[in-house]
Amino acid sequence: FFVIIIVSCAAESENIANLPKIDGFEFKNFYRLNSSILVAYMDSSGNSLVFKLNESSATWERIMFKTKVSL
C-alpha cells in the first residue's frame, strides 16, 4: 500500500516539473479534478489561463482563458 502511494505521488510531481512556461503569467494553483490534472496561471492584471494535462501524450493544452474586465 505504501509503495502505491509513493509511486503515484512521484508520477504527479513529474508532471508538475514539466509545467509550461508562459511569458507574463505566473503559476497560481494546481488542481486534481477526478482523473484530470489542471494548472492555473495568472498575470498582473488578473487574467488567468487554465491548462489540462493530456496524459496519453504528456502534453499540456490550454482549455480556458478568463479575463478580468474592469469598467
Side-chain angles (χ1 to χ4, degrees):
F1 179 72
F2 185 70
V3 173
I4 294 171
I5 292 173
I6 296 298
V7 171
S8 66
C9 292
E12 190 171 290
S13 64
E14 179 182 318
N15 293 327
I16 293 172
N18 295 328
L19 291 176
K21 306 288 187 240
I22 312 295
D23 290 335
F25 287 82
E26 57 184 59
F27 175 77
K28 180 180 177 188
N29 218 337
F30 176 84
Y31 304 99
R32 178 172 272 299
L33 184 64
N34 295 329
S35 63
S36 300
I37 298 175
L38 306 172
V39 293
Y41 290 86
M42 186 171 277
D43 70 359
S44 60
S45 301
N47 301 319
S48 62
L49 287 171
V50 178
F51 286 83
K52 178 181 177 185
L53 177 65
N54 182 343
E55 293 185 28
S56 62
S57 64
T59 58
W60 293 93
E61 56 184 273
R62 189 175 81 180
I63 60 169
M64 185 174 69
F65 175 76
K66 184 176 177 184
T67 185
K68 181 179 178 184
V69 179
S70 57
L71 299 172

